[in-house]
Every structure is written in structure tokens, then in C-alpha cells.
Amino acid sequence: MAAALPLVRGFAPGAAFAYRDGRAVPIEGFLSDVAQLARALPEARHVLNLCTDRYRFAVAFAAALLRKQVSLLPPNETPDVLARLEAHYPDAYCLHDRAQVPSSLRSMSFPERLGATAAGAARVPELPAEQPAAIVFTSGSTGQPVPHPKTWASLAGVALAEIEILRLGERPGMALLGTVPPQHVFGLEATVLAVMQGGLALSARRPFYPADIRAELAALPRPRALVIAPAHLRVLLAEPEDLPAADFLLCATSPLSRELAEQAEARFGAPLHEIYGCTESGGIASRRTTAGAEWRAMRGVALRTDKQATWVKGGHVETEVALADVIELRGGGRFLLHGRTADLVNIAGKRTSLAHLNYHLNSIEGVQDGVFVVPEQEGEAVTRLAAYVVAPGLSREALMAALRQRIDGAFLPRPLHFVDRLPRNQTGKLPRQALAEFEAALARKAG
């Protein structure tokens, strides 16, 4: 392992590191901002980086590295999650760019103005490879968030691995617009670390509504890419407005149907790739969704299967990790996904996964969003499934008829609930607790 790794690489003098407020921020400006902020940070071991502006997040993240402070990156900002962070990391402070701070930790506002950029070439700092860099947390989709420490070597390594497998080196200076927050592993790797290690440029904004996504993407110079969660992409494509041309599309956080990928490629005029991974390992594989179902592992990453699980290690994955998915190894670093281990259901002797059912539910024309769930029932055997669906233009009969064409009758949802929205988080996932609270609220309303 290298003794030290650069904070950034791949930037020519004067190259854009970011686009913010209608202007390009050169790499020299970024490095100057990082150095100045690093000098202003308080003494601490941990920092809770809650900056919403992606450029400010990147500056704060890099400044913390220079001060050997570990960035805490929670999956969300619920009072429960923030209270847990405060209890486990009492020395931490909150660095933010907001009018109101959601945490009761001692806080520091991101400076509105940093000093002028020094003339001449900026020195690129180098950091010890083994330096603790961040603590990321699982999303809570399968229970309470769990912390996972990351070294600078693992974070820089996953960025380089993604750059290589996605061939982003062939698109120097490409501007990346992300709809996912930088505090999430996918957002961190794809919209911050890939920029720092690949000579790319980030957009400071994180648009949410389709009109904002279209406007922000159109404002960026070519080549440009959209980094987006499948749930956000589905909503974006549901609108009839023309989409700005893109040069690259990248998705992660949940399975993407081939139909949706084909629609996205046709409307944006760009190839769409997916990243597969988890919080524990980071991204480990990629595929072009329209080209087939197989995933290809990144350089150095090896997978093995035993009776308990499929395990991954190697490359940037420093500690062997058990994956939460049912995986079929194909050899040569290629594999298929068959849904999450916890999602497997057996009804009347027939087996499937909730991921498989959700895939088919969301592939029905007119369905904007939908999810299958296992209702609480006595005993361990699953006897029926329920589903929640956002499909304002479909009748119950039409939706059930379409499902019968796609899935075995044993798995048809009984009951099927039509709702206005699902409680997805910022990355488009449905955390278990949020879904349980959503179901309980609907039950109270119906009662």
C-alpha cells in the first residue's frame, strides 16, 4: 500500500473543479479554499459534515482530511440518528451551511467568504493512505444505521476503481450533476471522490424536482453527466418535457429495470450505467443496464460464496464483507443479482424475492412508484403479501391484470393500496422504520 496518496489528481492548471452560482471554480481555487478552511476548523477528532452545497461539502471534507479529522456521514438527519451520533461521538462538532442547525452539537457555519486564491500553481496535499477519513453509516433500510470506518486509501481506491470501470478517464473535465446527497456513500463516491481523483467537475447544486434537474443539467457545459437514484429518474422520465442532452448517466442505490434504462438512454441520448455495492464495501461492480443483467466486478475485487453468504474483498475493500444479496457467480468477476437475502419469501411452496416483485410492479406502464411488503402476521410462514402503489391513472383491476401477466398468482398483493406517495429518503430508498410508520399512519386513517 502506498505511503501517501494525493488529495486530488488529474487536473490541468486552471481546470474547473466545480460549477457554482453560474461560474467555474478552478482547481487552484478549491485547493486554496480547502487550506484556508482547514486552518479555521476547531480542534476535534470528528466532524459532522452537514453542508448541503456540494462544493462546500467537498471543501469541508478535504479540509477535515488535512486536519486529520474524521467526517461523520449519517444516512439521514432524523432526531434519532443525530442523537445517536452525539452520544457516540461527544467530541464532534457540526460544520454546516444552513440557517438552522438540526443538531445540538457545537457548530460552525461554513464561511461565507474565504480569502483570495494565492497566485501561482497550488500545491496538492498528500495524505497517509491508512489515515482514518470518514465513518459512513448504513441507510437504515434493514434496521438501525451501523457505522463503518473508511481510510483515505479505501475512499481514494474506490473512486479510482469506479473511474476505471466506467471509463471516465475518457471524459476529462466532465461536469457531474448529482441528485443524491454527498453524505450518502453513492453520492460521496460518484459526485465528490470521483471528481477529486478523476479530474472531473462537480455541480454545487443538488436539485430534487424534475424542472430543477432539467434546468441545472442544461446550465452545465458539455460533456456533462447526471448521477441519479432510480426513484428520482423514474419521476423525471414520467414528465413529458424535453430533457437536456447528456453524455453519461449513472444510477445506484436500488435495482433499475431495463425498460427504464432504455427510456432514459433514448431521451437523454447517453449511455446509462449502474454501480452495485453497499455501505460496508463501497461500490464493487458495474453494468450497462441495457446491455444485459450481468455485473462486472471492479479491479482487484474478488467475490466468493459459501453456505452463509457471498463475500467480497480485495482492491479498495480492505476488510472482507458479507453482501446482503443473493448472488450467482458467473466466473471472471461477473455475477447476477437475485434480490436481497432478507427479501426472500416463500408462499405455498413457491419462492421469489421482494426485489423481483418490485421490479415487475414498477415496470408496469402508469406506475410511478410501488413496493411489495410482508404484512405482520402470526407465525413465521408468509401467507400473503401487500403492496403500496402510486399510479393515479390506473384502476385496481387494470393493475392486477398487468401483475398477473408478470408474476405468479401466489404473490399477487392482497391487499393492494393506492397511495399518493411513498416515504422514500433522499436517495430513493425506503428505510424499514419509515415504511412501518407509513403503514401505521395509513391504518389509523383507514380505521
Side-chain angles (χ1 to χ4, degrees):
M1 182 180 293
L5 299 171
L7 180 69
V8 297
R9 68 179 88 196
F11 290 92
F17 176 86
Y19 293 93
R20 186 169 185 267
D21 297 333
R23 67 181 183 90
V25 180
I27 181 61
E28 294 85 357
F30 169 72
L31 292 173
S32 176
D33 286 348
V34 168
Q36 293 174 69
L37 181 60
R39 291 192 292 269
L41 295 181
E43 291 294 333
R45 177 60 179 159
H46 299 93
V47 53
L48 176 61
N49 187 342
L50 293 185
C51 291
T52 54
D53 178 298
R54 202 178 302 270
Y55 176 72
R56 287 177 170 175
F57 174 92
V59 171
F61 181 78
L65 286 171
L66 264 58
R67 288 290 298 273
K68 292 184 168 50
Q69 296 180 0
V70 179
S71 293
L72 303 176
L73 304 177
N76 57 61
E77 297 172 17
T78 62
D80 177 66
V81 167
L82 294 181
R84 289 173 181 270
L85 291 182
E86 293 169 22
H88 285 88
Y89 309 97
D91 75 305
Y93 68 98
C94 176
L95 181 56
H96 67 92
D97 57 0
R98 313 177 184 196
Q100 292 185 328
V101 189
S103 170
S104 61
L105 289 170
R106 61 184 173 122
S107 63
M108 173 184 174
S109 296
F110 192 98
E112 282 298 322
R113 290 185 178 274
L114 295 171
T117 303
R123 183 184 69 84
V124 175
E126 292 198 342
L127 305 165
E130 71 280 2
Q131 177 178 323
I135 299 177
V136 297
F137 296 78
T138 55
S139 66
S141 57
T142 57
Q144 292 295 338
V146 177
H148 295 278
K150 303 285 184 177
T151 65
W152 177 234
S154 68
L155 292 183
V158 69
L160 293 171
E162 290 188 7
I163 291 165
E164 178 185 43
I165 201 167
L166 297 173
R167 300 173 70 174
L168 297 181
E170 299 175 6
R171 305 172 187 270
M174 183 167 64
L176 304 182
L177 175 68
T179 68
V180 290
Q183 288 83 3
H184 183 270
V185 169
F186 174 49
L188 176 67
E189 294 176 358
T191 68
V192 177
L193 294 172
V195 168
M196 293 170 65
Q197 296 294 304
L200 306 176
L202 62 84
S203 169
R205 297 191 182 276
R206 180 167 65 87
F208 178 79
Y209 295 106
D212 295 331
I213 296 173
R214 293 192 298 268
E216 293 295 339
L217 186 62
L220 292 174
R222 306 280 298 272
R224 59 194 180 203
L226 179 61
V227 181
I228 189 167
H232 302 161
L233 180 63
R234 189 179 300 112
V235 173
L236 180 62
L237 295 179
E239 296 200 346
E241 284 79 5
D242 291 338
L243 295 171
D247 299 282
F248 195 80
L249 303 171
L250 186 62
C251 273
T253 73
S254 61
L256 182 68
S257 71
R258 182 165 181 165
E259 291 85 353
L260 193 66
E262 290 172 344
Q263 185 184 356
E265 290 196 348
R267 294 188 60 187
F268 280 103
L272 185 149
H273 291 257
E274 286 185 90
I275 290 290
Y276 169 72
C278 61
T279 301
E280 297 89 334
S281 66
I284 61 169
S286 177
R287 70 175 179 182
R288 183 172 178 183
T289 317
T290 58
E294 279 192 343
W295 295 83
R296 181 164 59 95
M298 297 175 186
R299 180 191 292 271
V301 171
L303 291 87
R304 68 174 182 87
T305 299
D306 59 22
K307 294 180 180 180
Q308 284 73 42
T310 297
W311 303 79
V312 60
K313 187 179 180 182
H316 56 273
V317 185
E318 296 176 335
T319 303
E320 191 169 50
V321 171
L323 300 173
D325 294 285
V326 179
I327 291 177
E328 176 188 340
L329 300 182
R330 290 289 190 90
R334 298 180 181 272
F335 60 90
L336 295 175
L337 293 177
H338 296 297
R340 297 184 72 81
T341 306
D343 285 351
L344 294 179
V345 291
N346 187 326
I347 298 178
K350 299 177 179 179
R351 289 167 55 87
T352 190
S353 71
L354 295 179
H356 173 81
L357 299 174
N358 291 337
Y359 171 90
H360 286 291
L361 175 60
N362 284 285
S363 68
I364 295 172
E365 186 174 356
V367 171
Q368 296 177 6
D369 200 2
V371 63
F372 275 80
V373 298
V374 181
E376 289 193 16
Q377 53 200 15
E378 294 184 5
E380 296 184 358
V382 177
T383 58
R384 62 186 177 87
L385 297 174
Y388 296 92
V389 63
V390 182
L394 288 180
S395 67
R396 185 180 306 274
E397 292 73 20
L399 185 54
M400 291 295 282
L403 277 174
R404 288 190 184 95
Q405 297 296 316
R406 291 166 168 80
I407 65 175
D408 191 286
F411 304 112
L412 289 173
R414 301 178 179 87
L416 171 65
H417 303 279
F418 282 79
V419 296
D420 295 330
R421 55 171 292 276
L422 291 174
R424 295 190 180 274
N425 63 15
Q426 293 177 319
T427 58
K429 290 188 176 184
L430 284 169
R432 177 184 293 177
Q433 182 178 350
L435 187 57
E437 292 172 353
F438 177 76
E439 292 182 279
L442 290 177
R444 289 193 299 270
K445 185 177 180 181

